[in-house]
């Protein structure tokens, strides 16, 4: 039983250490066409990077005191 556990542990450790290499298109495939407004063809790394608009900043504003909500004229009960 110990040998099986040791073999599984070794296989897991071996599978976890893979060679890191840059991304390239699959054989027979090409990168998407160059955007019309871009001066150069973006590579795979640039295509995978998300713009700041997709990752908005975090708001750390804490609620300091409770406040009563004002009346909402559109908050009607269901019919």
């Amino acid at each position: 039983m110990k040998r099986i556990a040791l073999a599984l542990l070794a296989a897991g450790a071996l599978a976890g250490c893979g060679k890191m290499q840059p991304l390239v298109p699959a054989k027979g495939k090409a990168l998407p066409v160059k955007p019309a407004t871009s001066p150069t063809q973006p590579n795979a790394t640039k295509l995978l990077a998300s713009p700041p608009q997709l990752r908005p900043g975090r708001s750390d504003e804490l609620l300091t005191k409770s406040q009563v909500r004002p009346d909402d004229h559109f908050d009607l009960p269901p019919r």
Side-chain angles (χ1 to χ4, degrees), residues 34-47:
K34 181 180 92 58
T37 58
S38 177
T40 61
Q41 172 72 27
N43 59 12
T45 306
K46 286 185 181 180
L47 290 172

Side-chain angles (χ1 to χ4, degrees), residues 10-77:
L14 199 62
C17 62
K19 181 178 178 185
M20 299 293 290
Q21 55 189 354
L23 293 174
V24 293
K27 290 183 181 177
K29 303 285 183 173
L31 286 172
V33 295
K34 181 180 92 58
T37 58
S38 177
T40 61
Q41 172 72 27
N43 59 12
T45 306
K46 286 185 181 180
L47 290 172
L48 289 174
S50 58
Q53 290 85 1
L54 295 179
R55 294 177 282 123
R58 180 177 169 194
S59 174
D60 289 334
E61 183 179 336
L62 299 175
L63 184 62
T64 56
K65 62 180 180 177
S66 297
Q67 297 175 350
V68 178
R69 287 184 175 188
D71 259 356
D72 185 5
H73 300 292
F74 297 102
D75 187 17
L76 301 174

